[in-house]
Amino acid sequence: PRAAGGTEELPPEAPGDARHVPAGPELRQGGGGPRQLRLGDPPEAEGGGGPLSRLVVRNLSQLATPLGGAARTGADQGRISRVEGAALVAEDGLLTWVGSDADFVRDHGEAPQPGDVVVDGRGKTALPGFVDPHTHIPWAGYRESEFNERLKGKTYAEIAAAGGGIVSTVSATRRATVEELAAATRERLDRMLLHGTTCCEAKTGYGLDLPTERKQLAALKAAAKGHPVGVAATALPGHEVPVERRGSEALRARYVAECCDEILPALAADGARFVDVFCEHGVFGLAESRRILEAGKAVGLVPRLHADELTPLGGARLAAEVGALSADHLLFAQPDGIHAMAKAGVVATLLPGTSVFLRMNRYAPAREMVSAGVAVALGTDCNPGSSYTESLPAVAFFAAIGMGLTVEETL
């Protein structure tokens, strides 16, 4: 149904869909045809040079946004509020007025106020800033050449055996300085902003030892300082078993203990907000993943995990059992895991870019998740080897084509 003025009404928020995330350290540092509009001079032109007092955007084709501050599930995920022929006003970094352009003239008049900056929307659509819930942006050692190697028929295992894969990125990241990592990370944040992302999650996980994991987090904090894109950090020492901890079960167990007893407490103290683990055959099994996630929870980190990406190991169910905020990837999630996630309120963060760049010919069962009442989010999985993009609009396209999500559901 539509309300007067063309705004689509939404039902009240579904009970139980609001997931509280415990407060923790955050790295956010920043804050139709064309028509002739009367544009006010920017404050700088008047010699003020101070912060923008009021931003007015006029002549929008429409404004479209989900309502509320909680994840939506089921049919509500595809419902958004639209205002046709829209305008909006922002003051001191906050939206203070949204409505039709005609209502703007009625409420505020046609002439701009002194100090206003008026932007002609030129018949475009205004959307909320995008939130990217899964990225790996603080790294050195880009591996774009591996995409061509896969086109030539090489498998991931063959590429890794030849010295590529995550091991090569870990080696490059260990060699890089904090300053080098911060500069590369800031460039990726810049590209995110160009594609409309205003907040993102970002993981460590290319250090796999205490000094380099801390270096990644320090670089992320330095890159985020003063940047318009807000950043929330995730501790991911459980991304892979480092080379020096392979070769025996004792070495492997030693690394899991290092993650739990040394690395996670240090990253929590340094400002990480979440803990993640790659729960997968050949990486970290269910018991190891549970131990790492519980250790993170013990030092105040909120759990999330890479789950059921390559095999149906049961990561989706584990996410529900440990009370994870999200389970990510989920290409091989099974019905029991999906329903467990729905019951526990775990968000499914789906990453179709990885399916595209790895040429997997398989996507996460998004339609089944929506039908089961799981809140579905989309992320870029921006990383050096399996998802070479900072663009959430591209990911939304992949999700529509590969997963059958509607345009409204991707928003």
Side-chain angles (χ1 to χ4, degrees):
R2 286 187 172 273
T7 302
E8 185 177 356
E9 291 183 336
L10 289 175
E13 291 187 9
D17 68 355
R19 300 289 315 285
H20 172 67
V21 178
E26 293 189 26
L27 305 183
R28 184 167 187 129
Q29 305 288 340
R35 289 170 26 201
Q36 294 297 318
L37 296 178
R38 296 179 60 185
L39 303 181
D41 292 328
E44 293 77 7
E46 300 173 354
L52 184 66
S53 59
R54 198 169 82 140
L55 173 68
V56 178
V57 182
R58 303 269 312 273
N59 191 24
L60 292 163
S61 172
Q62 68 173 214
L63 181 145
T65 180
L67 294 180
R72 299 210 168 262
T73 60
D76 283 348
Q77 176 142 338
R79 296 179 183 170
I80 61 176
S81 175
R82 290 183 175 89
V83 179
E84 305 292 340
L88 62 85
V89 177
E91 299 180 68
D92 297 323
L94 297 175
L95 292 176
T96 57
W97 188 95
V98 172
S100 71
D101 203 76
D103 287 343
F104 173 85
V105 173
R106 182 197 66 200
D107 293 347
H108 300 277
E110 185 68 51
Q113 298 178 12
D116 279 1
V117 172
V118 182
V119 175
D120 188 345
R122 300 182 181 181
K124 299 183 184 298
T125 297
L127 300 173
F130 298 131
V131 177
D132 192 339
H134 186 123
T135 81
H136 298 258
I137 56 175
W139 84 77
Y142 203 48
R143 310 197 312 269
E144 70 274 23
S145 61
E146 293 181 9
F147 181 75
N148 200 40
E149 295 300 312
R150 287 191 289 270
L151 291 176
K152 295 177 181 178
K154 289 188 177 180
T155 66
Y156 182 89
E158 290 169 337
I159 292 171
I166 188 175
V167 171
S168 67
T169 297
V170 169
S171 178
T173 302
R174 288 179 174 181
R175 293 193 304 269
T177 66
V178 172
E179 293 76 17
E180 289 168 339
L181 288 174
T185 301
R186 194 171 181 90
E187 289 179 1
R188 292 167 193 136
L189 290 173
D190 289 344
R191 287 192 290 271
M192 286 182 170
L193 187 62
L194 288 174
H195 291 294
T197 296
T198 54
C199 189
C200 75
E201 177 267 6
K203 308 176 193 295
T204 66
Y206 291 114
L208 308 186
D209 61 25
L210 178 58
T212 316
E213 289 287 308
R214 294 189 72 183
K215 180 172 67 175
Q216 277 192 277
L217 182 54
L220 184 60
K221 293 170 70 175
K225 186 175 182 180
H227 200 281
V229 176
V231 180
T234 293
L236 181 58
H239 197 192
E240 179 60 282
V241 178
V243 172
E244 65 270 19
R245 294 290 183 262
R246 300 177 186 179
S248 73
E249 287 302 315
L251 284 173
R252 181 187 183 88
R254 180 178 171 185
Y255 182 64
V256 172
E258 288 172 356
C259 288
C260 297
D261 302 334
E262 301 175 27
I263 302 177
L264 289 177
L267 295 181
D270 287 350
R273 186 175 180 184
F274 305 102
V275 57
D276 197 345
V277 64
F278 191 2
C279 180
E280 185 57 72
H281 280 298
V283 191
F284 295 96
L286 291 170
E288 293 169 324
S289 297
R290 185 189 297 273
R291 181 180 172 189
I292 290 171
L293 295 173
E294 294 291 355
K297 288 173 66 175
V299 292
L301 300 175
V302 179
R304 57 199 311 156
L305 66 154
H306 291 56
D308 299 331
E309 178 184 3
L310 305 175
T311 60
L313 182 63
R317 179 170 285 280
L318 175 63
E321 291 171 355
V322 300
L325 181 69
S326 73
D328 302 10
H329 285 290
L330 298 169
L331 277 72
F332 288 85
Q334 299 301 295
D336 65 322
I338 293 172
H339 288 289
M341 287 175 59
K343 185 176 180 179
V346 179
V347 174
T349 299
L350 307 184
L351 311 166
T354 307
S355 297
V356 171
F357 289 110
L358 292 180
R359 304 178 71 234
M360 298 179 73
N361 296 317
R362 185 184 183 108
Y363 292 84
R367 291 256 53 94
E368 289 87 338
M369 293 174 183
V370 172
S371 297
V374 176
V376 172
L378 297 175
T380 61
D381 194 20
C382 179
N383 75 74
S386 63
S387 190
Y388 315 107
T389 185
E390 295 92 355
S391 172
L392 278 173
V395 166
F397 172 75
F398 297 153
I401 297 298
M403 299 177 178
L405 292 179
T406 66
V407 173
E408 292 84 357
E409 286 170 334
T410 65
L411 180 61

